Amino acid sequence: MGLRRLIAIVLCLCVTATAETLDSAVEKKQRAEWCEALGKRLKSVDARLCQSLPFRAGTLRSVQGRPLMALEVAPAAGKNAARPVRILLAGGLHGDELTSISIVFCWLAFLETPAARAHHWYIAPLVNPDGLFARPSRRTNSNGVDLNRNFPTPDWADKAQDYWQRRTQKDPRRFPGKTAMSEPETRWLTEAIEAFKPDVIVSVHAPYGILDYDGASPPPPRRLGLLNLKPLGVYPGSLGNYGGVFKDIPVITIELANAGTMPRKEEQHQMWNDMLDWIDARLVQPRHTGKSPGAQRN
Ligand SMILES: [Zn+2]
């Protein structure tokens, strides 16, 4: 190997290492600022726990330039008897539903349990940061768009505007946007769904105190904690419609009972346990054994 080539390789390795160090320093700072701001705004968010987890910003930012952060947790290595289920958990699509963000952070404390580590998680606790940090917090993003009416469902072009005008009387809290996926926050979550390919989406809202479900199969959970199943139907541009009807990914929508007051600790835990029990019962599939169907029957 010539000297010049050797120098070029060493230089390249150094530059790469420096870029990685810089990258992680920038990421660390961004994460620290994001967690600190959240801890100040939401008293039930533990900023230190948040900072200890490898949340990463996507390439897209909110309309006001805030990072859109998510945490991916791969299943624990080991001889899992079953294929890990891919779970996308999202909170804070509506910025004024404070508990929908806080509870996702509270559930992060359970991620290290064996039941949770058997699965693969993609967790986006705050899809609409501009809505949360507005004073007062607001449902829509800073373009005044209801993100949960902005997903690219096949009926969007025909029905979203009409629904907003006729059925909601142009309610500004439910404006679906000028076009489907016009908002960076919606694009970010849609791209995450495309890339992560979840087996189930869990979307947290408040304050209707029920459990909603969209998807042809499997059968829905009948209750999570104190929340009973009460399907609300779908709307043009909603995540339930996009995931559950269009993409054929079951969508559990948790509507907590109060947007400002958290459920009690035991209730938070019960909802989490019920959710994992349903996932284990309905979505876990054995790994492919390599045997022929005939051999399996014997
Ligand atoms: Zn909501």
Side-chain angles (χ1 to χ4, degrees):
M1 184 184 298
L3 185 62
R4 282 171 68 176
R5 177 128 190 257
L6 184 65
I7 291 171
I9 290 171
V10 170
L11 206 63
C12 179
L13 287 173
C14 289
V15 168
T16 310
T18 312
E20 275 173 8
T21 314
L22 274 178
D23 237 22
S24 66
V26 169
E27 274 181 0
K28 250 184 169 169
K29 184 166 178 281
Q30 191 172 49
R31 181 159 61 236
E33 286 171 358
W34 183 75
C35 292
E36 204 174 307
L38 268 164
K40 278 187 188 153
R41 182 69 187 87
L42 300 171
K43 65 175 189 285
S44 45
V45 170
D46 181 343
R48 278 170 58 189
L49 169 69
C50 173
Q51 282 188 40
S52 71
L53 296 165
F55 276 101
R56 301 191 72 164
T59 50
L60 289 169
R61 286 178 169 253
S62 73
V63 173
Q64 290 185 358
R66 291 189 169 89
L68 297 168
M69 308 283 278
L71 171 70
E72 185 169 350
V73 182
K79 291 182 183 170
N80 291 340
R83 188 178 71 81
V85 176
R86 301 175 74 84
I87 305 160
L88 188 148
L89 171 61
L93 266 88
H94 293 141
D96 58 354
E97 298 169 3
L98 310 189
T99 51
S100 79
I101 305 154
S102 293
I103 200 160
V104 175
F105 280 97
C106 293
W107 284 338
L108 291 178
F110 307 139
L111 268 184
E112 283 304 316
T113 58
R117 290 306 311 275
H119 303 306
H120 195 154
W121 296 84
Y122 186 92
I123 302 175
L126 178 54
V127 178
N128 180 8
D130 295 350
L132 171 70
F133 288 109
R135 290 289 184 170
S137 292
R138 51 193 259 179
R139 175 183 173 96
T140 57
N141 77 346
S142 60
N143 283 336
V145 174
D146 180 346
L147 300 178
N148 205 27
R149 301 290 182 274
N150 191 239
F151 287 91
T153 53
D155 60 354
W156 202 98
D158 281 346
K159 295 186 179 164
Q161 292 288 342
D162 189 59
Y163 187 94
W164 177 62
Q165 289 172 19
R166 289 169 195 257
R167 299 285 293 274
T168 79
Q169 309 297 317
K170 296 190 180 180
D171 181 350
R173 286 167 48 80
R174 289 175 169 76
F175 178 55
K178 288 181 180 159
T179 57
M181 233 174 23
S182 54
E183 305 311 302
E185 298 90 350
T186 323
R187 287 202 295 280
W188 172 63
L189 197 59
T190 309
E191 284 174 13
I193 293 168
E194 287 299 319
F196 182 66
K197 303 192 181 344
D199 299 307
V200 60
I201 296 171
V202 181
S203 175
V204 193
H205 289 260
Y208 294 108
I210 54 112
L211 184 66
D212 190 8
Y213 183 80
D214 296 294
S217 67
R222 297 187 55 185
R223 58 188 298 166
L224 296 184
L226 295 171
L227 304 178
N228 290 310
L229 180 70
K230 187 180 178 196
L232 295 175
V234 291
Y235 306 95
S238 72
L239 179 57
N241 189 350
Y242 177 70
V245 179
F246 176 50
K247 301 286 287 183
D248 205 19
I249 304 164
V251 179
I252 295 175
T253 302
I254 295 173
E255 278 278 356
L256 300 172
N258 193 302
T261 305
M262 286 286 279
R264 288 179 305 119
K265 283 259 177 259
E266 309 83 75
E267 169 64 3
Q268 293 170 25
H269 209 158
Q270 193 61 51
M271 269 190 273
W272 173 265
N273 285 341
D274 289 350
M275 181 171 76
L276 283 180
D277 284 350
W278 179 81
I279 287 168
D280 285 344
R282 298 297 187 181
L283 293 176
V284 168
Q285 292 170 0
R287 284 183 190 278
H288 183 56
T289 59
K291 294 176 183 170
S292 71
Q296 282 176 341
R297 273 199 298 277
N298 296 328

